Amino acid sequence: SQILEALHAAGYLTTHQNRNLFFTEGNGGKDGLTKSCERRVRLLYKAGLVRRIEQPVKRGEGSKPYVYALTRKGAEFLIAELGIDPAEVDWRSKSYEQNTPFLSHLLATTDFQIALRDACMGAGITVAEWFDERLLRMEGVDYVMLTGENGQETKTAVIPDAVFILERDGKHGLFMVEIDMRTVTVEPRLWSSKSWSKKVRAYSAYFDTEAFADRYEGRRARVLTITTGDRRLSSLLHTTERVAGEYKDQFRFTTFEQALDPSRLLTAPIWQVAGSNRPHSLLE
């Protein structure tokens, strides 16, 4: 039932993610744990409790692991056995499941969540709260008004890919996550178009609103952006420094290679901070 609960929470998980969540101890090393996990997921699939999605593969790329999601039968099991509200269980297949970038984005968010959990376990830190985009939307979306150079206004939603709160020794830290898969233009010709620069402007405006103060109890937020490589990171960083104004030091950047290493995620200086000439650790 743990795997079914995790699928209810995350929506989609690969076998590797299930292994990292639930098969962390046992004989046979990582290969043995992977095989144990594969057997468990295969049983759930044969029982009709989960369905699997085959990820598209480019020429020469090699096979990719199946992505698993709940079926109606799996949802009914959770409702009956755990008392979960039927309105909260989303088991129907979606058109975006065939959208490779979108699904990759969701899986990357879960990879970061797993790395964060493992990093905190080794550092005496608690992930007090974690909200992914789906939960944030369920709670209600906050909006800001952005104004262009010509005075034109546009209403913009502020929806991080995830929000989490870390707790240590009674102190709390608020973090917002942006998973960047290079699918968004950094600086478009039209200022109101969907882009990274517009996202940064929206965050900066949001930090000044009562809606932000009410939702997050006046805490100071850090926006953590995880991207594909150093070149993309540099482009995002420089644009942020130009448009974020007084809030630029609340934006931090690193790569997936660095962020998904639990031994470095919290304490190593892997985060580039907008406006700073040196890398920082997440806890600085």
Side-chain angles (χ1 to χ4, degrees), residues 142-160:
D142 289 330
Y143 293 86
V144 295
M145 297 300 296
L146 300 181
T147 305
E149 294 177 356
N150 60 358
Q152 177 188 357
E153 289 190 330
T154 180
K155 186 178 181 181
T156 304
V158 182
I159 313 174

Side-chain angles (χ1 to χ4, degrees), residues 223-243:
V223 181
L224 308 179
T225 300
I226 305 154
T227 190
T228 52
D230 292 334
R231 190 170 181 178
R232 174 72 173 184
L233 186 155
S234 180
S235 180
L236 298 175
L237 176 64
H238 291 154
T239 296
T240 301
E241 290 175 335
R242 189 174 63 80
V243 304

